C-alpha cells in the first residue's frame, strides 16, 4: 500500500509528498531496494547529490548482489560526466540481474554518447533480444539508427514503438521528441497529429 502511495505521488509530480511517502515506507521496510533506489534518484534530480551518493553507497554495501545500488552509482557518474565509470556501474548492475532492462539501455545510451557505436549496437541488440515488446527499446534503437545515419531502420523502429504503444501517450510523445531532436519537423507534426487524434477518439 505504501509503495502504491509513492507511485501516486510521483504521477502527481509532488516531490515532497513522494519523499515523505518513501521515508514512511522505508521506516517499515528498510530493505526495500526499489524504494531506496527511487529515493536516491529523487535526491539526484532535486540537486541533493550528497544524499544521493549516501543512498548509493548504502545500497551497494548492504545489497551487493542487487542491481539498484550500481544503477544509482551509474546515474551519479553520468551526472558528473564520468561516462566510462557509468558504463562500468551499469555493467555491474547487469551482472546482478541480466533480465533487467534498465542497465542494458543505460549502458547502450552512454556507449552511444561516447560514439562507441559497436558496443552500443551490442547493447541495443541485447535489449531487443531480452525485451522485444518494449516500447522504450524500440525508441532507443530508433535513436541509435538515426545517430549512425540509417534513417530507414530508425523509422522502422519508431513504427514498432507506435504499434506496441498504441494506447500510450508517453510512447507517442517520445517519438515526437526524437523527430524534433533530429530536425524532422514534418515527421514530428504528423506524429503529434496522429497522437492528438487518438487521444480525442479515446475521450469520445
Amino acid at each position: 500500500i505504501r509503495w502504491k502511495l509513492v507511485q501516486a505521488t510521483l504521477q502527481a509530480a509532488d516531490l515532497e509528498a513522494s519523499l515523505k511517502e518513501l521515508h514512511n515506507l522505508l521506516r517499515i521496510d528498510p530493505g526495500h531496494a526499489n524504494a531506496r533506489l527511487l529515493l536516491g534518484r529523487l535526491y539526484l534530480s532535486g540537486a541533493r547529490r550528497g544524499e544521493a551518493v549516501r543512498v548509493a553507497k548504502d545500497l551497494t554495501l548492504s545489497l551487493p548482489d542487487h542491481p539498484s545500488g550500481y544503477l544509482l552509482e551509474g546515474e551519479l557518474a553520468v551526472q558528473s560526466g564520468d561516462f566510462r565509470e557509468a558504463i562500468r556501474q551499469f555493467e555491474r548492475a547487469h551482472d546482478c540481474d541480466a533480465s533487467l532492462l534498465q542497465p542494458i539501455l543505460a549502458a547502450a545510451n552512454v556507449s552511444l554518447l561516447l560514439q562507441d557505436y559497436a558496443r552500443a549496437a551490442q547493447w541495443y541488440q541485447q535489449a531487443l533480444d531480452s525485451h522485444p515488446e518494449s516500447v522504450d527499446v524500440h525508441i532507443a534503437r530508433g535513436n541509435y539508427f538515426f545517430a549512425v545515419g540509417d534513417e530507414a531502420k530508425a523509422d522502422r523502429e519508431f513504427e514498432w514503438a507506435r504499434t506496441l504503444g498504441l494506447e500510450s501517450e508517453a510512447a507517442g510523445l517520445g517519438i515526437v521528441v526524437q523527430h524534433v531532436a533530429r530536425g524532422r519537423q514534418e515527421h514530428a507534426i504528423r506524429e503529434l497529429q496522429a497522437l492528438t487524434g487518438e487521444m480525442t477518439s479515446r475521450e469520445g
Side-chain angles (χ1 to χ4, degrees), residues 25-197:
L25 170 57
L26 289 171
R27 273 195 291 271
I28 299 167
D29 183 6
H32 196 302
N34 288 330
R36 292 164 71 185
L37 171 59
L38 178 57
L39 179 64
R41 284 173 167 167
L42 290 178
Y43 283 147
L44 190 58
S45 65
R48 297 164 67 172
R49 182 179 175 85
E51 290 169 279
V53 169
R54 176 182 57 77
V55 172
K57 291 188 181 305
D58 287 347
L59 271 169
T60 54
L61 287 173
S62 61
L63 297 170
D65 297 323
H66 196 281
S68 55
Y70 306 114
L71 276 170
L72 187 54
E73 290 280 12
E75 290 162 14
L76 283 159
V78 167
Q79 191 192 63
S80 65
D82 191 349
F83 300 126
R84 299 291 180 188
E85 174 63 15
I87 290 177
R88 191 177 76 85
Q89 294 294 343
F90 294 141
E91 287 175 341
R92 292 181 73 182
H94 176 63
D95 289 341
C96 291
D97 185 352
S99 68
L100 193 64
L101 179 58
Q102 288 182 63
I104 298 173
L105 277 187
N109 292 337
V110 176
S111 296
L112 181 60
L113 188 63
L114 290 171
Q115 298 184 339
D116 185 349
Y117 298 125
R119 189 69 184 109
Q122 292 173 351
W123 282 113
Y124 286 124
Q125 185 60 49
Q126 188 169 347
L128 181 64
D129 291 342
S130 58
H131 297 270
E133 302 298 311
S134 168
V135 171
D136 290 338
V137 167
H138 289 284
I139 290 178
R141 283 171 57 83
N143 188 38
Y144 163 76
F145 284 122
F146 268 131
V148 299
D150 194 335
E151 291 197 11
K153 285 186 178 179
D155 284 338
R156 285 200 294 272
E157 291 294 338
F158 286 153
E159 283 301 316
W160 268 110
R162 286 294 286 128
T163 300
L164 292 168
L166 199 57
E167 299 297 320
S168 170
E169 293 174 23
L173 289 173
I175 296 170
V176 171
V177 168
Q178 292 304 325
H179 284 314
V180 171
R182 299 296 170 187
R184 291 156 53 99
Q185 303 299 328
E186 291 183 4
H187 288 73
I189 290 170
R190 284 200 300 270
E191 183 66 37
L192 195 55
Q193 288 172 337
L195 180 62
T196 303

Side-chain angles (χ1 to χ4, degrees), residues 2 17 19-29:
R2 289 286 182 186
L19 288 171
K20 178 182 176 182
E21 292 301 336
L22 276 170
H23 285 300
N24 288 336
L25 170 57
L26 289 171
R27 273 195 291 271
I28 299 167
D29 183 6

